[in-house]
Amino acid sequence: MNKISLDEKFALFSEYWRPKTIAALNGQEVKLVKVQGEFPWHYHEHEDEFFLVWRGRFRVEFRDHVVTLGSGECVVVPRGVEH
């Protein structure tokens, strides 16, 4: 077992909206992504989605509200919920 440095993993790529898998456990993948600008409305039919902000701020927009996340904050979007 080796520890994973998020700083080191983020330093390995520069493109936005291209998730990178850094670990897997129990059939789930842990992915990192750099974001900038807006992303099209979408939903996931079969899986929940977990957002954790490492640095900066991130807005997760829903049809009826917005969740603004800061460094160290997270939210789970249940499957089927448009965001």
Side-chain angles (χ1 to χ4, degrees):
M1 293 179 285
N2 296 318
K3 68 180 179 179
I4 297 170
S5 166
L6 297 181
D7 283 331
E8 289 176 10
K9 293 296 183 182
F10 273 117
L12 294 175
F13 65 99
S14 60
E15 63 267 26
Y16 296 100
W17 299 111
R18 302 281 311 243
K20 308 296 182 198
T21 301
I22 62 163
L25 65 153
N26 301 319
Q28 302 292 315
E29 293 179 327
V30 178
K31 297 179 180 182
L32 300 181
V33 65
K34 292 181 179 181
V35 298
Q36 182 177 32
E38 296 183 17
F39 196 72
W41 286 97
H42 68 284
Y43 68 93
H44 304 277
E45 188 173 324
H46 300 290
E47 61 275 331
D48 301 331
E49 191 165 26
F50 175 77
F51 292 97
L52 167 69
V53 175
W54 178 246
R55 291 197 177 134
R57 300 189 70 71
F58 183 63
R59 287 172 41 101
V60 183
E61 297 183 8
F62 300 93
R63 291 296 181 184
D64 61 347
H65 70 287
V66 173
V67 175
T68 302
L69 302 173
S71 298
E73 296 180 320
C74 62
V75 67
V76 174
V77 179
R79 69 192 74 167
V81 175
E82 194 173 27
H83 58 286

